[in-house]
Each structure stands twice: as C-alpha cells, then as structure tokens.
Amino acid sequence: MRILKLVIWDLDETILTGVLEEGSESVHPAAQDVMNLLHARGTIQALATHNQPEILRPAIEKFQWTGLFAQVEADLGSKASMVGRILDTLSVSALDTVFVDSDQFERDSIAFQVPGISGWSVPQLRAYLEENPTTVTEEGAKRPKMYLEDQARLRDEQSSPDYEDFLRRCDIRVTVRPFASRDRDRAKELLTRTHRMNLGVLSLQEALDRLEQEEHPAFIAEVTDRYGDLGRCAVAHFKRDALDEADIESLAISCRTRARGLSLSLLVALLRHPMNRFRLVRCRYVFNGLNRPLRMLLMAAGFTSQPGTDALAVSAEQLAETKLPDWVHVSYPTPYET
C-alpha cells in the first residue's frame, strides 16, 4: 500500500455487532472510533455490504452516518464487484485502499480478487493510524465533503443533455498564485498522494526544500466551482537559467481534477503565469508505473520529446497555441489579474 486514501468498510459484524437485516442496532465502539478518526484525518470512507438499499438507508440516518461515506454499495451480489465499482467511481488505486472486515476469510477473499488492495481488521487499521500520524491540511479535512460534492456534480452531469453546457454552468474558476510557506503541508500532500499526475523526478524532501527557495519560481493552483471549493489542486516549481529557459523540477496535479477535465487547464495555467517569461520549458519525465496520464497531459500542452534524452520541452510560442476550454476561468491574483 502506498498511502491510505480510502477505507472500504463491511457492515454486518464489522461496524455493527450483529446483522442489520436481523435487527442489529448496536455499533462496535472500536469501529466507530476508527471511523471518526478517519473522518477527522480526511480519509475517504465507503461502505460495501450485503444488504438491501431500502434497509440500509434508514440505518445510515439512524446511526448519524449521513455524509460519512463517499459511496455506498449495497446489494446481494459479489462484494469484490462492489469494491471494484467504488474504486472506479472514486478514482482511487487499490494500492491506496484498505478493505475492513472482521472475517479473515472475507479479507483474504477481497485481497485475492482485487489485486493490490489490503484486507485489515479494525484493530489492524487502528494500529496503522496510531503508527502513522499525519498533518491534516485544510483540503484534507474537507476531502470527504469534496467527494460528496463530486457525487452531486456527477448526478447533474448525467441529467444534462449537453455536457459542455453543463460544464459552463459549473462556474469553474482556477486561481494561480506564487507558492507561500503556508502551502508547504498541502504541497507535501500533493507530492505524496498523487501518483498518476506526478513528475516524480526529485525526492519528496528535495522537492519541498526547493519549493521554498525564492530564486526559482513556484506556484499553486486553486479551484472552485458551483459545487464547492476544491482548494489547492496543483503545485509546480521551476528552475530558471541565464537563457530565460526553465526546467520543471516538481509538478503534481490532483487526480480528482481529471473528473472535471481540468488537468490540462491547470498545467497550462501554471506554465502561463505572468512571472514565467520563459522562452522554453523543459522537464524530465520518469515513469513510476502509474504516471502515464501525466506524459499524455504534457504532450497535449505542446511538449515534445528531446532526441537522445528523457526530457520533454515546449516553447513559449507552442504553449501560447494551446487552447483552453471556454468553461474554465483562469485568474492570477493582483498584480497579475487577467
């Protein structure tokens, strides 16, 4: 497991002391404590249970779990299929996910059927959390709420006959500003949690140290839309040379922005910041097993391979030709408003 992003819970005899369908109304205190701790840390939680939805919905209200689970899968089919749907919908890797069940057989069964996922008991999950304390950023604390907002956005998207018109109504706003020391914890979170959209050339410590070196520009991109505030979704750090060319030393874009089709807009907005008057921008792309989408994104922004090297590059002229969709509104805070 790379980093704990998602916990998928079983219900009967895991969270509950008994079986919901048989009238169990008692919650394991240890499970509830861990659920509360996960929520406070901003870890996404979901539920996969062999119960009928019409039985489960009132139980969620009764136990005051409304807003706790980013996704609920309840039917009598394969639990592995439920877990798969949760991973697909929430766009979280199995490697960053734990399935929690009191039954060792169920844990092993899911781990066998869903490659990469970890199967833990409640005490094992509690021990992991105690051994791995984390700094909770503003975005981290709001993460469960953000995923619920994503579910509302998805419902509206599915009911809209014209997808681009739907996106225009979303009022998506991207703000790019210089990196500040208060962004360090969030930058660490992006560089650690993001696998598909992470350049990954520097070690985490090197990347964090260089972000605060004032001689080279670094930027943060923030996103809001009608569904809520997504917070700081991207970070980039450039190393400028005497020829007004630059190398991207660090780049991470939250994978959650892909659901909104925003990744390219964020990348281009970072590169086009008025402080970045570069004739040419280069970067080294190192495949980490998951970040192929980032290479595709760089190519879409106009980057091309440099013969005989692992570098990609784009000129200012090529970058200027990259068109952003009219439903994304990009701004640069004063004195860089556009």
Side-chain angles (χ1 to χ4, degrees):
M1 190 176 70
R2 294 170 179 262
I3 186 170
L4 182 56
K5 294 184 179 181
L6 170 64
V7 173
I8 302 175
W9 290 89
D10 170 59
L11 180 63
D12 293 331
E13 298 182 329
T14 298
I15 296 177
L16 298 181
T17 58
V19 177
L20 179 64
E21 195 172 40
E22 296 175 359
S24 176
E25 296 185 351
S26 177
V27 178
H28 274 297
Q32 185 66 66
D33 286 347
V34 172
M35 291 162 66
N36 293 340
L37 181 56
L38 290 167
H39 188 70
R41 287 168 62 125
T43 304
I44 306 306
Q45 300 181 77
L47 190 63
T49 177
H50 283 149
N51 278 287
Q52 298 287 4
E54 58 269 22
I55 298 174
L56 186 60
R57 279 190 290 269
I60 286 176
E61 294 181 7
K62 177 181 176 60
F63 295 126
Q64 299 182 340
W65 294 337
T66 302
L68 182 67
F69 299 114
Q71 186 172 341
V72 174
E73 289 287 332
D75 61 44
L76 302 181
S78 163
K79 193 167 287 187
S81 296
M82 292 188 237
V83 169
R85 288 194 295 270
I86 291 170
L87 294 174
D88 289 343
T89 301
L90 299 181
S91 296
V92 178
S93 169
L95 292 170
D96 300 322
T97 303
V98 165
F99 173 73
V100 182
D101 197 301
S102 60
D103 187 329
Q104 179 73 56
F105 172 82
E106 290 287 354
R107 299 197 298 269
D108 290 349
S109 175
I110 293 297
F112 179 80
Q113 296 177 81
V114 184
I117 199 169
S118 299
W120 290 353
S121 65
V122 174
Q124 286 174 313
L125 177 55
R126 180 67 188 238
Y128 171 87
L129 296 176
E130 290 175 349
E131 293 169 5
N132 294 273
T134 184
T135 300
V136 181
T137 65
E138 180 182 350
E139 287 79 3
K142 294 192 300 184
R143 195 173 293 119
K145 181 173 180 286
M146 290 178 183
Y147 272 84
L148 291 172
E149 290 166 351
D150 275 350
Q151 298 299 309
R153 178 193 59 79
L154 183 60
R155 288 193 296 272
D156 287 351
E157 174 188 328
Q158 291 170 341
S159 65
S160 177
D162 185 327
Y163 184 59
E164 289 199 1
D165 181 60
F166 161 75
L167 289 170
R168 292 186 187 97
R169 287 188 282 110
C170 286
D171 191 28
I172 299 171
R173 300 191 174 272
V174 174
T175 302
V176 181
R177 60 170 175 78
F179 178 89
S181 58
R182 67 180 183 275
D183 300 315
R184 182 181 173 89
D185 286 340
R186 176 55 178 162
K188 179 178 180 180
E189 204 170 44
L190 283 167
L191 292 166
T192 304
R193 293 176 62 90
T194 302
H195 307 313
R196 295 183 179 91
M197 295 288 190
N198 193 333
L199 203 57
V201 175
L202 301 178
S203 70
L204 176 62
Q205 191 58 53
E206 285 180 303
L208 291 173
D209 289 345
R210 296 189 193 188
L211 277 170
E212 295 184 334
Q213 294 176 356
E214 294 183 1
E215 63 267 30
H216 299 300
F219 301 94
I220 286 283
E222 301 171 317
V223 178
T224 64
D225 64 20
R226 61 176 288 196
Y227 296 94
D229 184 353
L230 278 72
R232 295 162 288 185
C233 291
V235 60
H237 170 243
F238 303 87
K239 183 178 181 181
R240 187 197 305 267
D241 65 22
L243 300 175
D244 283 333
E245 298 179 353
D247 292 285
I248 306 175
E249 293 207 311
S250 301
L251 172 64
I253 300 173
S254 171
C255 294
R256 294 185 63 241
T257 63
R258 296 176 68 197
R260 285 166 166 77
L262 279 177
S263 302
L264 178 61
S265 296
L266 287 172
L267 172 61
V268 172
L270 288 164
L271 293 171
R272 286 180 178 172
H273 192 283
M275 289 175 64
N276 287 345
R277 297 185 177 89
F278 306 134
R279 294 189 310 107
L280 185 79
V281 178
R282 294 177 298 266
C283 68
R284 288 181 57 223
Y285 167 80
V286 178
F287 181 54
N288 66 9
L290 292 171
N291 64 350
R292 185 70 64 191
L294 178 61
R295 182 180 178 88
M296 296 171 63
L297 193 67
L298 290 164
M299 304 296 275
F303 282 79
T304 56
S305 299
Q306 303 302 289
T309 73
D310 61 358
L312 304 171
V314 63
S315 68
E317 292 79 9
Q318 290 171 308
L319 187 62
E321 292 175 0
T322 303
K323 288 189 176 182
L324 298 185
D326 63 3
W327 40 265
V328 177
H329 308 284
V330 178
S331 66
Y332 303 96
T334 306
Y336 302 111
E337 292 287 341
T338 61

